[in-house]
Amino acid sequence: MPEAIFRIRWPDGVEEDCYSPSTVIHDHLTARESYKVAEFHERSRVALELAAQRVEAKFGFRCSSADAQSAKIAAAVSRFDPQEIVTCLSIR
């Protein structure tokens, strides 16, 4: 199953590589696009849930890395105002 790394910039300027076990992330985020924190959180949560489900459908178990990435994003977004901006720098 093809995976993807999406690089983001948080509102405080910190950049981070995030993991998706599926290229479904391309359906929910766009490279060089900015999103309000709340929107980014929802888009990434949905994409990573779908990615975990795709892994489960193919291999019979969820992708714990997708779940961990989603939890990490959820923890990070709590540091910011929902109206602040997250930028998806790239998806590869």
Side-chain angles (χ1 to χ4, degrees):
M1 179 166 286
E3 60 187 21
I5 303 295
F6 54 107
R7 185 161 187 83
I8 60 171
R9 181 183 309 118
W10 292 107
D12 61 3
V14 172
E15 294 184 8
E16 180 178 350
D17 285 336
C18 300
Y19 173 79
S20 172
S22 167
T23 56
V24 71
I25 196 73
H26 287 280
D27 296 339
H28 299 272
L29 297 174
T30 303
R32 295 177 301 284
E33 287 288 325
S34 295
Y35 305 91
K36 290 180 180 177
V37 167
E39 180 185 6
F40 170 76
H41 183 207
E42 181 63 12
R43 286 173 173 265
S44 62
R45 185 192 64 74
V46 168
L48 291 167
E49 176 61 25
L50 289 170
Q53 289 174 3
R54 285 184 176 190
V55 170
E56 185 173 26
K58 185 170 184 175
F59 298 108
F61 54 87
R62 287 179 64 85
C63 178
S64 60
S65 294
D67 291 336
Q69 182 65 72
S70 188
K72 186 175 180 183
I73 289 170
V77 299
S78 69
R79 300 188 328 247
F80 303 106
D81 182 282
Q83 299 300 309
E84 289 185 274
I85 300 298
V86 176
T87 302
C88 180
L89 300 171
S90 63
I91 304 174
R92 57 183 201 287

